[in-house]
Amino acid sequence: MGMRARLRFGTSAVVAGTALALGGLQGASAGTQTVEDVSTPAKVCVGARPEGSLAGHGAPEDTPLDRTLGYVDGLAYGRHANVFTGLVVDEDGRAVEIYRIPSEAFDTDVCGAAEQGVTVRLYDRDINEKDLNALSDRIGDDMRRWDGTFSMRSVGLDGTGHVHIGVDDPGTAEPILREAYGDQNAKYLRIEYEPQAELL
């Protein structure tokens, strides 16, 4: 299955103007990765916890990677929510790429939770998921604002610390959106071409 993002979308994660109910770290897939997204991690650890040891700890999934992710979910949306940014799963490589505000406590908890055979790569970001969701919600609320200039087709988090914005004309949209949401937010925007959604 390769790489996929597993993340929670804000309430205004939208596609073609329709709000999506995409809850939970346990499901949504999104986005492609750039060179920056897969750059050198700040820290890498390989799971040492015996295989199956997370069973019964709120992580009933079948594989070491799934059980590790279930446990990380509790950490990311529990006591470490203030530093967690997002994650991307590499199922083929039995690895998880975690993006977070640097935190020794979070890193220790995540690395300590990983079962044998699971690789955890930790990347530095300077924003947490809560603040990214607020930015994503703000952009989603403005979806129709640009009609006649360009068409915004989707908005959502990509798991790597960015808000992915799908548009019909990136060349027109990018400078407008970067100016509209300010220099402090511009680095979090990933503006890419997206074809018109079709109802099946």
Side-chain angles (χ1 to χ4, degrees):
M1 292 192 180
M3 301 286 280
R4 78 174 194 271
R6 289 165 56 117
L7 56 143
R8 287 184 177 170
F9 283 89
T11 55
S12 71
V14 287
V15 174
T18 304
L20 298 178
L22 296 175
L25 186 67
Q26 301 304 324
S29 298
T32 56
Q33 291 192 314
T34 66
V35 172
E36 178 186 341
D37 297 332
V38 292
S39 61
T40 305
K43 183 174 186 176
V44 177
C45 52
V46 178
R49 185 184 285 267
E51 188 170 322
S53 63
L54 291 176
H57 288 86
E61 292 82 359
D62 297 328
T63 70
L65 179 59
D66 285 339
R67 285 189 297 270
T68 298
L69 287 168
Y71 195 81
V72 168
D73 183 31
L75 297 173
Y77 296 104
R79 65 181 178 270
H80 295 296
N82 62 325
V83 299
F84 177 72
T85 305
L87 63 79
V88 176
V89 179
D90 178 0
E91 291 181 331
D92 294 340
R94 296 180 71 185
V96 57
E97 318 270 349
I98 298 178
Y99 299 81
R100 85 287 185 256
I101 297 171
S103 164
E104 192 61 38
F106 178 67
D107 294 357
T108 298
D109 283 353
V110 167
C111 289
E115 286 193 10
Q116 289 178 358
V118 176
T119 299
V120 177
R121 300 183 187 97
L122 295 150
Y123 296 82
D124 293 347
R125 290 295 184 259
D126 63 358
I127 189 170
N128 63 27
E129 188 185 58
K130 178 183 175 184
D131 292 337
L132 275 176
N133 266 322
L135 177 60
S136 178
D137 288 349
R138 182 180 164 201
I139 295 168
D141 289 345
D142 287 344
M143 180 165 267
R144 310 270 30 125
R145 174 180 173 186
W146 317 108
D147 288 355
T149 305
F150 63 88
S151 175
M152 187 181 294
R153 294 176 170 165
S154 69
V155 180
L157 305 189
D158 72 357
T160 71
H162 301 99
V163 177
H164 177 269
I165 305 170
V167 298
D168 66 335
D169 184 354
T172 298
E174 186 157 356
I176 293 171
L177 292 173
R178 291 188 182 280
E179 181 177 359
Y181 298 106
D183 292 340
Q184 73 277 16
N185 292 317
K187 65 182 174 179
Y188 305 122
L189 306 184
R190 288 282 183 266
I191 301 157
E192 298 178 352
Y193 172 75
E194 186 168 310
Q196 179 67 54
E198 295 182 11
L199 296 176
L200 299 177

